[in-house]
């Protein structure tokens, strides 16, 4: 038996049924072969302001345990979490150390505003938690997705909640855990660029000739031979063959990225406790050296947790954390195309050593102004970026048992963050060389400091009413206040001698400066009731009232209710007394509906801000004036609101050997906050208004199975898959679409559309249909070319063989008019992950795969590598197959159709020529650059060995395990770029699948050890 999946981008995927679940018929010899139902019932899930047994859960929650996270040696929890929770989509911006990621749950709940989930750590909000928290400190992660689960967080809940519980001390003797791994990182893929000197120089000759730049070509590749020299043109190809036929080339990818990056992780934790007090303390050091020079990240983290019963019925918990994170290189690298475009030979102008070790940009750009790729080896040393972030967090909670059934808890949190970002460009940098007088040596310093405090009070009533009725009620209030201030300064004209960089800015000139200060506060009241009747019928109701300073006095408050119900069919008498109970051990249906909000919007959009400016008066400057900003305030602006419906089914089969959770959801977002354009007569450009709506619908499936278990061998599988489909329901009044442009002409630009009635992520551009060939033309006796009837006409001008051809878009269907049409969609149809875990005696093997199917990628890197200017390299795909217009015999361009056919025998499959017309055409957003981004990645393979207890007892250890891991082992994809898992654009909801010079993801080989004393 097999499961067959068909998809438009994948013809056929066949999963043997045993891979999914059905090896339950093996190894059923003892009771130990099953997962005991009592264990499942006691499994606890952390939800808002409390926890609940998994069997009593009414909301949609995906859980990831510490064991799952520990299976992936990772720099942060974000990397370890990828692909392990259904409905959670994490797409990293690139492979550089410290690079960010776009994170959405069920597609996000906004078009233009924030879509990142809310992070709650041990009951308190902590922004960017997955990057900050040491993954070794995490006990569990619960992803709250359904209305019942997220409505308790009201105004902050519509983008989903990620709840993190950290480890605490355990009762018993002192336990010391030491975990360490070392990772060797290598480039997993190289792009295929022209790597033959003769081919490269011939390409440069044709580009120069067609652009009228033969002298510029000669200055670099032909010893500055004059174009009036005898045989300059007719002998050019012979000279190229003789000089460059066996000439060495410079592999820039190998030089810049071909080394080995080293990552090391050291983690030690101590746990101790008695019946009254338990303590946990940990320290983590993690350093990642990138493949590129001056790109690395270092993190130090210290955490302490204490739980104590001060007196009978009075409990204290305290936790604190300090993290220092330093990133060199800015956490990203946008210069991949500059590595790829570098000349592979210096011709007769530079030796290979000079080409690599000299900043050649001034020489090349002086010869041709279109040359815009500075030497990356020199530039990464000359222009540096550094970022240091420090976070201190302290939480304290006091809990009282009142009377018999009441528990009162008061808790407070203080969170302080300081960030400093600097940049500096010395005399070898492009910025200096481009403008040594007005800019010169330059740099910038930015400081940001923020603090947040949170006070939460809750009163819980927990009562068993007879044998069958259980009631838990919670009421609470919460205060959150946050204040942020920042200052930035841009400096130019540092002295060229006695230059101490940013350590001494006294002699530099201030080019720009600004400061900012803002605050926000949130006051909330909330309540929740859980009712359980005989473990069969479960009911949950929540309500929250939030007041936020982000909104004006007229709309500061919002109310967010939800209701959920569950029916445990398997607890009914008719089920328990039937034979079906032996096969279907647990069956639960869930339904939930609720309203949540989104306050991930800018502060003070209800105000019209006033800014200072300089007003010239009587031909003099320095007269201070106040003007209003270009954005008009809106006092009635209010929450973005989401109405969420979720239907779920939980199923356990064959003595709990197979567990399946299925979810269907429908999230309708209304009152979306959009910046709408105002008429010029108002004196303002725009204002924020609540207008427009969208929805996300989808299905999610999570499977856990024990496929085989014997005395010495065990094989289990965990899999999840999520389908999400967005739809824009309405926008500004009178508008059927909004556009979002990404990139630029020279770096790959495409326009994304949000269209009423359509899915988000639509890419718009022009449909590429190949090139004009000799068969498309008639040629008169005088050599004039005319298009044959029925051949599509270009937007302007007269085409020639080798020109790019775009599909007709006019009513007559005979001409290309540059009308934007849909060329792709960057949103995947479904995503997921599969983990197979094997153990045999002391050995363990884990194989984790993740996949994404259906999303297109706009390969702006490929577009930016197109032949814009001289001296730059191109992909082999183009360099081996461009349409030739230069006749090698004459060294000049030919327009004769017969000769062009001889020069291009495979012209139907050729790419465009190097004509000036195509230099403009390649800047168009085109379907040629849209590729299928589907992939299946062998994300991690780990082989470990745990030493036997008998041996450990002799060396005074409780546990010892060594392991080897390969991360990013292989990726099966049709995408031609470095990596299909990419999100280079900032607006992941409206502009997914954009790849512009993203840093490639490395393959890492890891050796690690886990010790417990």
């Amino acid at each position: 038996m097999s499961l067959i999946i068909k998809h438009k981008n994948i013809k056929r995927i066949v999963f043997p049924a045993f891979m999914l679940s059905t090896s339950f018929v093996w190894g059923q010899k003892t009771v130990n072969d099953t997962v005991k139902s009592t264990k499942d019932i006691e499994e606890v899930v952390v939800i808002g302001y409390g926890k609940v047994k998994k069997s009593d859960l009414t909301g949609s929650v995906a859980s990831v345990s510490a064991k799952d996270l520990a299976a992936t040696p990772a720099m942060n929890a974000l990397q370890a979490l990828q692909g392990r929770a259904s409905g959670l989509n994490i797409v990293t911006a690139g492979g550089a150390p410290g690079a960010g990621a776009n994170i959405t749950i069920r597609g996000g709940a906004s078009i233009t505003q924030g879509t990142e989930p809310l992070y709650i750590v041990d009951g308190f909000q902590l922004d960017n938690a997955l990057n900050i928290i040491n993954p070794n400190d995490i006990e569990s992660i619960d992803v709250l997705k359904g209305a019942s689960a997220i409505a308790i967080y009201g105004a902050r809940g519509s983008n989903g909640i990620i709840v993190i519980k950290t480890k605490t001390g355990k009762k018993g003797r002192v336990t010391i855990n030491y975990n360490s791994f070392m990772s060797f990182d290598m480039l997993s893929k190289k792009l295929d660029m022209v790597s033959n000197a003769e081919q490269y120089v011939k390409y440069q000759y044709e580009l120069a000739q067609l652009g009228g730049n033969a002298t510029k070509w000669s200055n670099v590749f032909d010893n500055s031979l004059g174009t009036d020299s005898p045989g300059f043109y007719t002998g050019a190809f012979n000279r190229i063959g003789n000089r460059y036929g066996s000439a060495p080339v410079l592999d820039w990818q190998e030089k810049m990225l071909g080394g080995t990056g080293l990552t090391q992780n050291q983690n030690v934790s101590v746990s101790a406790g008695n019946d009254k007090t338990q303590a946990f303390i940990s320290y983590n050091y993690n350093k990642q050296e990138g493949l590129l020079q001056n790109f690395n990240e270092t993190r130090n983290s210290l955490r302490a947790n204490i739980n104590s019963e001060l007196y009978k019925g009075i409990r204290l918990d305290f936790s604190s954390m300090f993290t220092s994170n330093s990133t060199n290189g800015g956490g990203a690298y946008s210069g991949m195309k500059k590595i790829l475009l570098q000349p592979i030979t210096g011709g007769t102008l530079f030796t290979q050593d000079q080409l690599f070790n000299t900043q050649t940009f001034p020489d090349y750009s002086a010869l041709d102004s279109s040359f815009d790729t500075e030497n990356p080896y020199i530039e990464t040393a000359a222009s540096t970026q550094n970022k240091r972030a420090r976070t201190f967090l302290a939480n304290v909670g006091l809990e009282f048992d009142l009377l018999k059934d009441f528990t009162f808890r008061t808790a407070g949190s203080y969170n302080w963050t300081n960030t400093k970002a600097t940049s500096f460009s010395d005399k070898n940098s492009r910025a200096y060389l481009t403008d040594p007088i007005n800019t010169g040596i330059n740099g910038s310093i930015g400081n940001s400091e923020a603090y947040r405090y949170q006070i939460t009070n809750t009163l819980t009533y927990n009562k068993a009413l007879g044998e069958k009725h259980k009631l838990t009620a919670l009421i609470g209030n919460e205060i959150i206040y946050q204040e942020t201030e920042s200052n930035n300064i841009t400096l130019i004209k540092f002295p060229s001698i006695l230059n101490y960089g940013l350590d001494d800015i006294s002699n530099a000139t201030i080019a720009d400066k600004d400061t900012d200060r803002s605050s926000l506060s949130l006051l909330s009241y909330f309540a929740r009731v859980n009712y359980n009747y005989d473990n069969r019928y479960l009911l949950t109701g929540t309500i929250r009232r939030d007041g936020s300073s982000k909104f004006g006095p007229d709309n500061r408050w919002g109310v967010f209710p939800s209701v959920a119900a569950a029916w445990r069919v398997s607890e009914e008498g008719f089920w328990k007394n039937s034979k079906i109970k032996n096969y279907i051990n647990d069956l639960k249906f869930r339904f939930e509906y609720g309203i949540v909000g989104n306050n991930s919007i800018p502060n003070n959009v209800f105000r019209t801000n006033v800014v200072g400016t300089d007003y010239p008066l009587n031909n003099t400057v320095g007269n201070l004036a106040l003007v209003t900003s270009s954005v008009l305030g809106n006092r009635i602006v209010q929450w973005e609101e989401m109405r969420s419906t979720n239907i779920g089914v939980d199923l356990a089969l064959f003595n709990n050997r197979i567990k399946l959770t299925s979810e269907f959801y429908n999230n309708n977002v209304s009152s979306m906050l959009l910046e709408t354009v105002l008429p010029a007569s108002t004196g303002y450009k725009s204002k924020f208004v609540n207008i427009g709506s969208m929805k996300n619908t989808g299905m999610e499936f999570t499977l856990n199975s024990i496929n085989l278990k014997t005395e010495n061998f065990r094989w289990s599988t965990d899999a999840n898959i999520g389908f999400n489909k967005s739809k824009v329901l309405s926008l500004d009044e009178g508008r059927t679409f909004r556009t979002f442009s990404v990139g630029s002409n020279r770096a790959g630009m495409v326009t994304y559309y949000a269209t009423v009635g359509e899915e988000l992520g639509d890419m718009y551009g022009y449909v590429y249909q190949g090139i004009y060939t000799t068969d498309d033309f008639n040629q008169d006796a005088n050599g004039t070319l005319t298009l044959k009837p029925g051949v599509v006409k270009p937007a302007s001008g007269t085409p020639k063989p080798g020109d790019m051809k775009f599909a007709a878009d006019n009513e007559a269907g005979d001409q290309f008019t540059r009308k934007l049409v849909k060329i792709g969609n960057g949103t995947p149809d479904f995503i997921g992950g599969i983990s197979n875990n094997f153990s045999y005696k002391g050995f363990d093997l884990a194989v984790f795969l993740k996949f994404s199917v259906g999303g297109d990628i706009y390969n702006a890197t490929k577009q930016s590598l197109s032949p814009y200017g001289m001296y730059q390299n191109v992909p082999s795909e183009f360099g081996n197959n461009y349409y030739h217009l230069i006749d090698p015999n004459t060294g000049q361009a030919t327009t004769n159709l017969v000769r062009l056919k001889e020069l291009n025998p495979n012209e139907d499959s050729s790419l465009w020529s190097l004509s000036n017309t195509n230099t403009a055409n390649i800047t168009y957003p085109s379907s040629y650059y849209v590729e299928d981004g589907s992939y299946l990645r062998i994300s991690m393979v780990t082989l470990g060995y745990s030493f036997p207890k008998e041996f450990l007892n002799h060396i005074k250890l409780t546990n010892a395990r060594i392991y080897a891991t390969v991360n990013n082992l292989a990726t099966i994809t049709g995408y031609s770029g470095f990596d299909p898992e990419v999100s280079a654009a900032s607006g992941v909801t409206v502009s997914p699948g954009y790849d512009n010079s993203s840093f490639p993801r490395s393959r890492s080989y890891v050796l690690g050890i886990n010790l417990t004393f």
Side-chain angles (χ1 to χ4, degrees):
M1 188 176 80
S2 300
L3 173 67
I4 300 176
I5 296 179
K6 294 183 178 180
H7 186 270
K8 63 181 180 181
N9 296 312
I10 297 179
K11 293 182 179 179
R12 183 182 176 96
I13 302 178
V14 180
F15 292 101
F18 74 87
M19 288 183 63
L20 297 179
S21 62
T22 58
S23 56
F24 61 88
V25 296
W26 300 331
Q28 295 181 345
K29 294 182 179 180
T30 69
V31 71
N32 293 328
D33 294 339
T34 65
V35 180
K36 295 181 180 180
S37 59
T38 54
K39 176 183 175 182
D40 297 327
I41 292 176
E42 296 305 319
E43 187 176 350
V44 172
V45 176
V46 180
I47 58 175
Y49 307 100
K51 54 190 177 182
V52 64
K53 291 188 296 185
K54 192 170 184 179
S55 60
D56 293 341
L57 194 64
T58 56
S60 176
V61 179
S63 299
V64 181
S65 68
K67 181 180 178 181
D68 297 327
L69 295 172
T72 305
M75 184 74 175
N76 53 49
L78 186 144
Q79 296 173 1
L81 190 58
Q82 284 184 294
R84 296 189 180 273
S86 63
L88 176 64
N89 191 18
I90 301 175
V91 182
T92 54
N102 286 302
I103 306 169
T104 55
I105 296 176
R106 292 183 169 179
S110 185
I111 289 181
T112 60
Q113 305 308 312
T115 58
E116 189 169 7
L118 173 69
Y119 300 99
I120 301 296
V121 180
D122 294 333
F124 299 98
Q125 180 177 340
L126 178 63
D127 299 334
N128 199 28
L130 292 177
N131 271 317
I132 294 175
I133 292 184
N134 170 18
N136 296 278
D137 290 342
I138 296 176
E139 182 71 31
S140 65
I141 296 179
D142 294 294
V143 182
L144 312 186
K145 301 176 291 184
S148 176
I150 63 179
I152 194 68
Y153 289 101
R156 300 171 291 160
S158 65
N159 289 311
I161 319 290
I162 295 180
V163 179
I164 299 173
K165 183 181 183 298
T166 62
K167 294 178 180 178
T168 58
K170 307 298 181 184
K171 297 178 182 179
R173 68 182 183 86
V174 177
T175 301
I176 301 174
N177 288 284
Y178 173 70
N179 300 321
S180 174
F181 69 80
M182 183 171 291
S183 172
F184 304 91
D185 305 327
M186 302 177 186
L187 187 64
S188 61
K189 178 182 179 180
K190 291 171 61 176
L191 294 191
D192 190 12
M193 306 294 291
V194 169
S195 58
N196 178 276
E198 181 179 358
Q199 179 189 9
Y200 168 75
V201 178
K202 285 181 177 178
Y203 156 77
Q204 289 291 330
Y205 178 84
E206 180 146 351
L207 180 65
Q209 270 293 83
L210 295 174
N213 297 314
T215 299
K216 295 179 180 179
W217 174 85
S218 179
N219 288 336
V220 175
F221 300 107
D222 205 9
N223 272 326
S224 298
L225 183 67
T227 57
D228 56 352
S229 301
F232 177 86
Y233 296 105
T234 56
F237 276 64
N238 287 332
R239 295 196 303 276
I240 292 172
N242 293 333
R243 180 175 287 144
Y244 297 100
S246 58
V249 296
L250 192 59
D251 186 340
W252 282 94
Q253 291 181 83
E254 182 64 29
K255 284 283 190 179
M256 297 296 296
L257 302 166
T260 301
L262 180 65
T263 298
Q264 56 175 313
N265 179 85
Q266 310 292 335
N267 190 88
V268 61
S269 64
V270 180
S271 174
N274 53 34
D275 290 339
K276 293 291 186 180
T277 301
Q278 301 86 43
F280 175 87
I281 186 170
S282 72
Y283 169 73
N284 177 255
Y285 170 80
N286 201 320
K287 183 171 184 179
Q288 180 183 12
E289 294 285 349
L291 299 179
L292 201 65
Q293 65 173 341
N294 291 330
F295 275 71
N296 56 73
E297 182 181 16
T298 303
R299 186 184 66 220
N300 287 273
S301 178
L302 180 66
R303 170 174 287 275
N305 288 359
I306 298 175
N307 301 85
S308 179
E309 186 176 17
L310 302 178
Y311 188 73
K312 185 176 181 180
I314 302 177
R315 294 171 294 278
L316 171 72
D317 56 85
F318 171 80
S319 65
S320 64
M321 179 192 72
F322 177 77
T323 298
S324 177
N325 196 83
S326 178
T327 303
N328 295 323
Y333 181 61
S334 60
M336 279 307 304
K337 72 170 186 177
K338 297 182 179 181
I339 293 177
L340 300 169
L341 285 172
Q342 286 301 305
I344 61 174
T345 175
T348 58
L349 185 62
F350 298 108
T351 66
Q352 295 300 86
D353 182 71
Q354 290 171 332
L355 187 63
F356 183 70
N357 291 295
T358 306
Q359 179 58 284
T360 55
F361 173 73
D363 301 270
Y364 279 123
S365 60
L367 291 170
D368 190 278
S369 59
S370 64
F371 186 88
D372 62 353
T373 53
E374 64 275 5
N375 184 321
Y377 177 69
I378 303 298
E379 188 67 23
T380 51
S383 296
T384 58
Q385 298 182 70
N386 307 93
K387 183 179 181 180
R388 183 191 67 199
R390 294 176 295 178
T391 300
F392 172 74
L393 177 68
N395 304 331
V396 62
L398 198 58
E399 196 168 81
F400 302 87
D401 291 336
L402 304 177
L403 303 177
K404 182 180 179 181
D405 303 310
F406 290 89
T407 301
F408 174 74
R409 175 177 172 81
T410 182
S413 172
Y414 179 80
N415 181 5
W416 171 84
T417 302
N418 174 264
T419 302
K420 180 179 181 180
T422 63
S423 66
F424 189 76
S425 298
D426 66 21
K427 293 175 65 175
N428 290 314
S429 68
R430 175 176 176 171
Y432 174 87
L433 295 170
T434 303
D435 187 5
I437 303 300
N438 297 315
T439 301
I441 301 173
N442 61 92
S444 66
I445 304 173
N447 287 286
S448 175
E449 185 173 9
Y451 73 87
R452 176 194 293 124
Y453 68 76
Q454 176 178 334
I455 300 174
T456 305
N457 298 296
T458 59
L459 179 64
T460 304
Y461 173 74
N462 197 338
K463 180 70 173 178
L465 306 172
E467 295 183 358
K468 295 185 177 183
H469 302 273
K470 297 177 184 177
L471 180 67
T472 301
L474 168 80
I475 60 172
N477 84 298
E478 190 168 73
I479 299 171
I480 298 176
Y481 179 81
Q482 178 175 313
E483 194 167 297
T484 304
E485 60 181 47
S486 62
N487 56 75
N488 299 276
I489 184 171
T490 302
L491 303 156
I492 58 175
K493 301 181 183 180
F494 279 82
S496 58
I497 58 174
L498 293 177
N499 179 10
Y500 296 100
L502 298 176
D503 293 333
D504 182 4
I505 65 173
S506 58
N507 292 314
T509 300
I510 298 176
D512 192 18
K513 59 184 183 296
D514 70 79
T515 61
D516 183 61
R517 183 173 182 177
S518 64
S519 63
L520 64 91
S521 56
L522 186 74
L523 175 61
S524 309
Y525 304 92
F526 52 89
R528 178 175 59 217
V529 175
N530 292 317
Y531 172 70
N532 180 329
Y533 175 73
D534 199 24
N535 290 323
R536 289 184 287 162
Y537 307 112
L538 309 170
L539 182 66
T540 301
T542 68
I543 188 168
R544 181 166 180 133
R545 178 173 168 81
D546 281 326
S548 173
S549 63
K550 287 191 173 186
F551 301 94
D554 300 330
N555 286 288
R556 184 151 288 172
W557 290 90
V559 178
F560 307 98
S562 77
V563 62
W567 177 29
R568 295 194 68 195
V569 183
S570 53
E571 291 297 311
E572 294 287 356
F574 68 84
W575 192 278
K576 289 182 176 181
N577 298 327
S578 67
K579 292 183 178 181
I580 195 172
K581 181 71 175 180
N582 298 328
Y583 303 98
I584 303 179
N585 314 117
D586 189 37
L587 176 62
K588 180 169 69 174
F589 293 100
R590 293 178 282 105
F591 172 82
E592 53 187 313
Y593 173 81
I595 302 173
V596 287
N598 180 19
N599 74 339
S600 299
I601 62 172
N603 289 338
N604 301 323
V605 296
F606 63 93
R607 294 175 177 170
T608 302
N609 294 322
V610 177
V611 297
T613 188
D614 184 81
Y615 184 78
L617 184 64
N618 296 328
N619 295 321
T620 61
V621 296
N623 302 290
L624 179 64
L626 297 176
V627 297
T628 57
S629 69
S630 61
V631 180
L632 178 64
N634 182 2
R635 287 180 59 85
I636 62 172
V637 70
Q638 61 184 16
W639 316 92
E640 291 188 338
E641 190 175 84
M642 183 178 78
R643 297 174 182 266
S644 175
T645 303
N646 191 94
I647 298 173
V649 180
D650 301 323
L651 184 67
L653 306 171
F654 310 113
N655 292 326
N656 294 296
R657 294 283 293 267
I658 302 171
K659 298 178 184 178
L660 177 66
T661 296
S662 306
E663 309 275 0
F664 170 78
Y665 61 88
N666 182 22
N667 295 337
N668 282 277
V669 184
S670 60
S671 299
M672 286 193 303
L673 196 58
L674 303 176
E675 190 172 4
T676 187
V677 177
L678 296 176
S681 59
T682 64
Y684 298 92
K685 290 184 178 179
S686 62
K687 76 171 180 177
F688 284 93
V689 294
N690 289 103
I691 193 168
S693 58
M694 62 169 286
K695 70 175 181 178
N696 281 296
T697 56
M699 295 181 294
E700 297 165 358
F701 302 94
T702 300
L703 173 71
N704 309 105
S705 66
I706 300 176
N707 306 314
L708 178 61
K709 185 173 182 180
T710 64
E711 183 178 353
N712 294 318
F713 182 77
R714 176 186 171 102
W715 169 28
S716 63
T717 299
D718 299 314
N720 70 84
I721 187 171
F723 303 79
N724 182 77
K725 188 80 170 178
S726 63
K727 185 177 183 179
V728 180
L729 302 177
S730 63
L731 292 168
D732 314 45
E733 185 175 354
R735 295 183 64 175
T736 59
F737 65 90
R738 288 177 69 98
T739 60
F740 305 87
S741 294
V742 180
S744 62
N745 282 343
R746 303 292 272 183
M749 182 178 73
V750 67
T751 300
Y752 286 82
Y753 271 55
T755 306
V756 174
E758 301 294 333
E759 183 180 11
L760 289 173
D762 282 344
M763 306 168 181
Y764 271 65
Y766 311 130
V767 177
Y768 175 75
Q769 289 191 326
I771 62 171
Y772 289 97
T773 68
T774 55
D775 294 335
D776 292 329
F777 296 89
N778 292 315
Q779 190 166 35
D780 299 337
N782 62 2
T784 302
L785 297 176
T786 56
L787 278 176
K788 291 180 178 179
V791 179
V792 61
K793 293 177 286 187
S796 61
T798 303
K800 302 179 295 298
D803 284 356
M804 299 176 77
K805 183 192 292 184
F806 297 98
D809 53 26
N810 63 337
E811 290 186 5
D814 61 354
Q815 184 172 7
F816 168 59
T817 64
R818 295 190 63 180
K819 177 183 177 182
L820 291 174
V821 297
K822 182 179 176 179
I823 57 175
N825 185 282
T827 305
D829 293 332
F830 56 90
I831 59 173
I834 303 173
S835 177
N836 280 284
N837 300 281
F838 307 86
S839 63
Y840 176 71
K841 294 186 176 179
F843 292 93
D844 60 89
L845 174 66
V847 181
F848 177 60
L849 297 87
K850 55 183 298 191
F851 55 85
S852 175
V853 175
D856 292 318
I857 297 177
Y858 190 83
N859 193 343
T861 305
K862 184 176 181 179
Q863 186 174 10
S864 66
L865 298 179
S866 298
Y868 289 114
M870 291 186 61
Y871 315 129
Q872 298 175 152
N873 202 9
V874 289
S876 296
E877 176 186 2
F878 184 85
N880 294 334
N881 197 35
Y882 66 89
Y883 194 90
H884 296 279
L885 298 178
I886 298 295
D887 188 337
N889 296 331
T890 64
Q892 304 277 10
T894 180
T895 58
N896 182 275
L897 292 183
V898 175
R899 183 57 177 152
L900 288 173
K901 184 69 173 179
E902 293 173 349
L903 295 174
N904 301 279
N906 301 313
E907 59 179 346
D908 286 335
S909 59
S910 293
L911 296 176
W912 54 90
S913 72
L914 302 177
S915 68
N916 289 335
T917 298
N918 287 331
T919 301
N921 287 342
I922 56 178
T923 65
Y924 296 165
S926 163
S927 62
Y928 176 77
Y929 306 111
V930 177
E931 303 182 41
D932 180 16
S934 302
Y935 69 87
L936 173 64
R937 188 193 306 282
I938 305 177
S939 186
M940 182 210 68
V941 178
T942 294
L943 177 63
Y945 177 72
S946 298
F947 290 91
K949 296 296 183 183
E950 295 80 3
F951 171 75
L952 296 177
N953 290 334
H954 288 296
I955 58 175
K956 307 302 181 183
L957 287 176
T958 304
N959 176 67
R961 176 177 176 266
I962 57 175
Y963 64 90
T965 296
V966 182
N967 288 320
N968 192 22
L969 177 61
T971 302
I972 302 171
T973 182
Y975 181 56
S976 66
F978 278 114
D979 198 300
E981 184 189 335
V982 64
S983 180
S986 58
V988 66
T989 305
V990 295
S991 52
Y994 180 77
D995 183 3
N996 184 15
S997 199
S998 296
F999 195 97
R1001 188 170 281 100
S1002 62
R1003 177 176 296 120
S1004 59
Y1005 301 89
V1006 184
L1007 296 175
I1009 185 170
N1010 309 132
L1011 300 175
T1012 303
F1013 299 89

